[in-house]
Amino acid sequence: MYMKSFVLLVLTLFVSKISTEYCYYRHGKESNGSYIECELAGTGEPIEGISLMHLERNTTISILKRELLAPFPNLKTLFMTAANIRKIEPDAFTNLTLVMVDLYNNKLEVLRRGTFSGQKKISYMDLSYNYFKNLTAATFSGLIGLEWLSLNANQIGLIESSALNDLVKLKSLYLRYNKIPNLHVDTFKKLVALEILDLSMNNLKTISAGLLSNQGQLYTLLLDFNALENITDGAFDKTIALTYLDVSNNRLRELPEDLFNNTNRLEVLRASNNQIRAFNYTILLSKTSFLREVLLYNNS
Ligand SMILES: *[C@@H]1O[C@H](CO)[C@@H](O)[C@H](O)[C@H]1NC(C)=O
Ligand SMILES: *[C@@H]1O[C@H](CO)[C@@H](O)[C@H](O)[C@H]1NC(C)=O
Ligand SMILES: *[C@@H]1O[C@H](CO)[C@@H](O)[C@H](O)[C@H]1NC(C)=O
Ligand SMILES: *[C@@H]1O[C@H](CO)[C@@H](O)[C@H](O)[C@H]1NC(C)=O
Ligand SMILES: *[C@@H]1O[C@H](CO)[C@@H](O)[C@H](O)[C@H]1NC(C)=O
Ligand SMILES: *[C@@H]1O[C@H](CO)[C@@H](O)[C@H](O)[C@H]1NC(C)=O
Ligand SMILES: *[C@@H]1O[C@H](CO)[C@@H](O)[C@H](O)[C@H]1NC(C)=O
């Protein structure tokens, strides 16, 4: 009984601590004179003490400038979702040491080189539901500590071969629901820590042999709802930790059992809704002793 109320009290204190930071965007003329106002309800803490900024939805910031964030030198966590941000000035985060950046559901199309230079502590970034079309070497330059990145539901049609090269610590990459037609063989070359890769709902036609050659830690690979016609022999030879593979809802005519020669830890294989003509479970099982689910319905 005592224990319970103690836990409850600690929880309440914790929740009230993180929920007392209220931030509002106050409009000036055009974007001149606009500012962000935060209050720490019930404490005398100065405004510079703010480390978590969670802006109200439906603001119209349009351009994220250094002046807006400069009053908050301790800022570590930035949530600005559905704020209509179109642009981030390259010096907007200068002198801040950010850890989490959530810009979900804005109108961003480009990040200029330098935007994240020096931001080695950012480990989490959500850029889903924006307007990115083209990821270049400039887009993510400097994000050498990033572990989790979502770019779901943008309009990405091009990823330059070196665009992701700084993301050497990235573990989870979400690219679901974009328009990616193909991937250069070097796209993921530097992403040696990658564990989860979601490429579902794109326009990929093939997976080339070298694309995942440095992904020895990858355990979840989602390729469903693309236009895959074939997967090149050897494509999964280096993904030895793979446990979950989804290639359903594509146009695969065959799924050679040899693809799984080295993915001995595979547990789930989903390949329904393709045009696969023949598949030998006996061979698959001889390579994958942990297999517990195979879906192959709606095939030829
Ligand atoms: C905004 O401020 C700049 C200088 O600070 C000035 O040149 C510009 O005319 C202002 N724009 C508006 C719309 O007030
Ligand atoms: C945002 O604003 C639009 C238009 O004013 C409104 O329809 C919508 O419900 C608002 N959304 C939220 C989450 O407040
Ligand atoms: C960053 O901080 C340094 C040292 O405090 C200061 O000189 C510089 O003007 C700041 N830069 C920006 C862009 O705020
Ligand atoms: C992608 O962005 C780069 C750099 O801004 C540019 O050179 C290239 O033309 C763009 N490609 C497309 C297809 O928009
Ligand atoms: C993959 O499919 C395409 C289109 O059907 C074909 O041109 C290509 O030769 C195939 N590649 C392999 C390795 O089977
Ligand atoms: C896959 O393994 C089988 C038997 O274990 C072997 O005959 C075949 O050559 C291997 N294929 C590849 C592409 O390594
Ligand atoms: C599947 O492969 C095994 C081992 O190669 C073979 O003995 C068996 O006949 C094959 N089954 C079918 C249906 O082709």
Side-chain angles (χ1 to χ4, degrees), residues 64-128:
L64 192 53
K65 297 181 178 179
R66 193 178 65 82
E67 299 89 273
L68 283 176
L69 300 177
F72 312 101
N74 294 338
L75 198 62
K76 291 190 167 44
T77 305
L78 180 67
F79 285 93
M80 288 189 168
T81 59
N84 289 298
I85 300 170
R86 282 189 293 105
K87 214 171 134 187
I88 300 178
E89 295 207 334
D91 66 350
F93 305 131
T94 312
N95 285 358
L96 296 178
T97 308
L98 295 167
V99 174
M100 283 180 75
V101 175
D102 191 335
L103 295 165
Y104 160 87
N105 197 355
N106 279 289
K107 295 178 175 162
L108 293 168
E109 198 179 318
V110 173
L111 290 171
R112 304 232 318 266
R113 183 178 293 281
T115 305
F116 296 111
S117 67
Q119 298 289 343
K120 298 177 202 159
K121 294 262 171 74
I122 298 184
S123 63
Y124 174 99
M125 181 139 60
D126 192 344
L127 296 171
S128 56

Side-chain angles (χ1 to χ4, degrees), residues 84-245:
N84 289 298
I85 300 170
R86 282 189 293 105
K87 214 171 134 187
I88 300 178
E89 295 207 334
D91 66 350
F93 305 131
T94 312
N95 285 358
L96 296 178
T97 308
L98 295 167
V99 174
M100 283 180 75
V101 175
D102 191 335
L103 295 165
Y104 160 87
N105 197 355
N106 279 289
K107 295 178 175 162
L108 293 168
E109 198 179 318
V110 173
L111 290 171
R112 304 232 318 266
R113 183 178 293 281
T115 305
F116 296 111
S117 67
Q119 298 289 343
K120 298 177 202 159
K121 294 262 171 74
I122 298 184
S123 63
Y124 174 99
M125 181 139 60
D126 192 344
L127 296 171
S128 56
Y129 291 88
N130 275 283
Y131 297 163
F132 288 99
K133 294 184 175 66
N134 179 357
L135 305 182
T136 73
T139 315
F140 300 116
S141 121
L143 289 168
I144 57 175
L146 196 62
E147 293 180 15
W148 193 99
L149 173 63
S150 177
L151 288 157
N152 283 352
N154 276 275
Q155 296 162 22
I156 300 166
L158 178 71
I159 302 181
E160 285 186 0
S161 62
S162 60
L164 307 175
N165 278 6
D166 274 4
L167 312 183
V168 291
K169 295 223 174 116
L170 200 66
K171 289 185 179 162
S172 305
L173 176 57
Y174 298 91
L175 286 161
R176 182 181 180 82
Y177 195 26
N178 278 286
K179 299 177 173 169
I180 306 167
N182 50 56
L183 288 165
H184 188 279
V185 68
D186 288 338
T187 309
F188 305 122
K189 190 174 63 180
K190 298 285 173 66
L191 277 56
V192 294
L194 203 61
E195 295 176 350
I196 299 174
L197 176 57
D198 187 350
L199 286 163
S200 56
M201 301 182 84
N202 278 287
N203 299 326
L204 294 171
K205 292 204 169 52
T206 186
I207 299 298
S208 65
L211 184 69
L212 301 170
S213 60
N214 287 342
Q215 274 64 53
Q217 316 278 334
L218 190 72
Y219 62 77
T220 297
L221 176 59
L222 305 177
L223 294 167
D224 47 307
F225 291 99
N226 274 280
L228 292 178
E229 287 168 4
N230 49 38
I231 298 174
T232 310
D233 290 342
F236 304 133
D237 276 2
K238 299 288 165 61
T239 56
I240 54 172
L242 197 64
T243 59
Y244 189 111
L245 174 64

Side-chain angles (χ1 to χ4, degrees), residues 56-59 82 84:
E56 290 291 290
R57 293 174 66 88
N58 263 1
T59 52
N84 289 298

